[in-house]
Amino acid sequence: MKVSAKSDYAIRAAVELAAVGESGPVKGDRIAAAQQIPANFLENILADLRNSGLVASRRGADGGSWLARPAAEISLADVIRAVD
C-alpha cells in the first residue's frame, strides 16, 4: 500500500502529539521542527485532523494542539481517513 506524503506527515504529527501526552498543548512549530514537516503543510494537516475530531486546539500564547482522544483509541486508519 502506498501512503501519500500528506498521510505520512499526518501520522508523524499524531505520533508527536501522542508522545507529548497530556502535558499540554504543543505548538505547530515544535511539531514541524521535531518531525521535519513544512510548517504551512502542517497547518493544513492539523486543520483536517481537527475537523475529523482527532485533534483539538487552542489559540493564544498558551495555545497549541493536542489529541482529542487518548492515543490508544486513535488508529493509523483514522488519521489517514482524516487527511485523504
Side-chain angles (χ1 to χ4, degrees):
M1 175 180 168
K2 278 192 167 184
V3 177
S4 69
K6 188 172 186 179
S7 293
D8 178 47
Y9 288 152
I11 291 167
R12 289 168 40 194
V15 167
E16 187 69 23
L17 291 172
V20 171
E22 297 179 18
S23 65
V26 181
K27 301 261 187 223
D29 294 341
R30 179 175 164 196
I31 298 169
Q35 293 296 323
Q36 298 178 343
I37 302 171
N40 291 339
F41 201 37
L42 178 63
E43 288 178 27
N44 294 330
I45 289 168
L46 290 175
D48 289 342
L49 294 174
R50 264 193 316 276
N51 290 337
S52 67
L54 299 176
V55 169
S57 66
R58 178 176 51 220
R59 297 178 73 172
D62 294 331
S65 299
W66 62 91
L67 293 178
R69 299 185 292 191
E73 294 179 13
I74 299 174
S75 70
L76 293 178
D78 292 335
V79 175
I80 293 171
R81 275 192 295 268
V83 297
D84 282 341

